[in-house]
Amino acid sequence: CETCSEEEAKYRCPRCMKYSCSLLCVKKHKLALSCNGVRDKTAFVSVNDFTDLNLLSDYRFLEDVGRTADAAARYPTMHSPATKKLLSCLRNKARRCNIDLRTLPVGFTKRRENSTTFNCVEKKFYWHLKLIFPHCHAEYTLKGVPDDKTLADILKPYIDPVESDPVVCQRLKIYTVSPQSDVQILMKVENRKQNSVRYNELDASRSLLDNLKGKVIIEYPTLFVVLKTLKKDMVILGQ
């Protein structure tokens, strides 16, 4: 057993291929490695290791994708004229703010969960926003974030030593104990090759709208909050 190193292994995790001897060790390894135990259907397999089972797995995966796409295409609300008009209006408003907002086809998770709206009276966006803290493996989703709010104010409930929620503060302890000058806010640059991922560094003192200007947004902004001393493979654009 790769968890307790005491008993003979009986099970193998379909996700990470770790050997376990009991249900207790299975649960421990999932907790320690943040493993969900579900086989990764899109994991890379080299040509030398490719077998008939892998071919069958790929075929079934494509069948599942086909069924999901077909089900999404039949969903009436997503194809209603009102929905299409709303999305078109949202993209046009973003374009006037120098933001290239792009929406995904029906059926994508980000399309379903996006709650971004534009208030015509106040003439400002209320964004659906995702915050990712990679050093703590934590993600938070915010809804209705006004575009004139600064990034520093958005992050206060999470990493501010005084104003943050005690439970959240404990989970993100590595951020709260670090000096604020060490905190960086990054956003992935879209439309780049897979082997050339780059990030834009955002200004925490400026508003969300100012930071999004001149950038491509797929459905809604996803911000990565990192520490300069710990980030390794996240290369900032221009470096």
Side-chain angles (χ1 to χ4, degrees):
C1 176
E2 295 185 59
T3 302
C4 67
S5 302
E6 295 176 1
E7 301 293 334
E8 183 181 355
K10 299 178 183 178
Y11 313 105
R12 193 177 190 186
C13 178
R15 182 79 177 188
C16 62
M17 298 302 185
K18 294 287 185 182
Y19 287 100
S20 302
C21 65
S22 63
L23 179 61
L24 181 62
C25 283
V26 169
K27 290 181 178 179
K28 283 183 178 179
H29 112 266
K30 286 183 177 180
L31 188 62
L33 301 177
S34 299
C35 176
N36 58 13
V38 179
R39 183 175 65 86
D40 186 2
K41 297 178 182 178
T42 60
F44 175 76
V45 179
S46 65
V47 175
N48 294 333
D49 298 330
F50 203 84
T51 65
D52 290 343
L53 287 176
N54 297 118
L55 180 63
L56 184 61
S57 175
D58 286 353
Y59 181 76
R60 288 175 176 169
F61 173 69
L62 292 174
E63 282 187 324
D64 290 341
V65 171
R67 281 194 292 270
T68 303
D70 183 63
R74 295 170 186 270
Y75 198 65
T77 307
M78 303 299 276
H79 293 280
S80 66
T83 302
K84 291 181 179 179
K85 185 178 179 181
L86 181 64
L87 291 177
S88 178
C89 177
L90 209 59
R91 289 192 295 264
N92 290 335
K93 296 293 184 183
R95 193 178 299 113
R96 291 176 184 175
C97 296
N98 194 25
I99 299 173
D100 187 356
L101 178 62
R102 304 182 185 183
T103 53
L104 294 169
V106 176
F108 279 74
T109 302
K110 290 187 75 172
R111 172 86 293 275
R112 289 199 307 269
E113 65 187 14
N114 190 5
S115 61
T116 300
T117 58
F118 183 82
N119 190 310
C120 295
V121 177
E122 300 177 7
K123 295 183 178 180
K124 67 180 180 181
F125 280 93
Y126 284 86
W127 289 97
H128 184 106
L129 189 65
K130 181 173 284 188
L131 299 177
I132 298 179
F133 298 86
H135 308 312
C136 297
H137 304 288
E139 291 186 10
Y140 298 94
T141 299
L142 288 70
K143 295 183 179 181
V145 181
D147 62 12
D148 57 355
K149 194 171 185 178
T150 65
L151 298 187
D153 288 337
I154 293 173
L155 291 179
K156 270 185 180 180
Y158 298 92
I159 60 174
D160 188 276
V162 179
E163 298 187 29
S164 60
D165 179 87
V167 177
V168 176
C169 180
Q170 185 62 31
R171 186 179 183 188
L172 304 177
K173 191 174 182 180
I174 191 173
Y175 290 92
T176 55
V177 299
S178 299
Q180 292 298 305
S181 58
D182 194 28
V183 177
Q184 275 185 315
I185 306 171
L186 307 179
M187 187 169 70
K188 186 179 177 181
V189 180
E190 303 293 348
N191 297 334
R192 290 183 67 91
K193 293 181 180 180
Q194 191 68 30
N195 60 352
S196 181
V197 178
R198 293 293 183 272
Y199 294 84
N200 283 309
E201 183 176 5
L202 307 184
D203 188 346
S205 63
R206 300 179 67 184
S207 69
L208 179 59
L209 180 64
D210 288 339
N211 278 289
L212 296 182
K213 286 182 178 180
K215 298 178 178 65
V216 177
I217 307 296
I218 308 296
E219 288 291 348
Y220 56 80
T222 299
L223 308 184
F224 294 84
V225 185
V226 301
L227 299 175
K228 295 178 184 178
T229 54
L230 295 180
K231 73 177 179 67
K232 297 177 182 177
D233 55 347
M234 303 180 78
V235 183
I236 296 176
L237 189 68
Q239 292 184 346

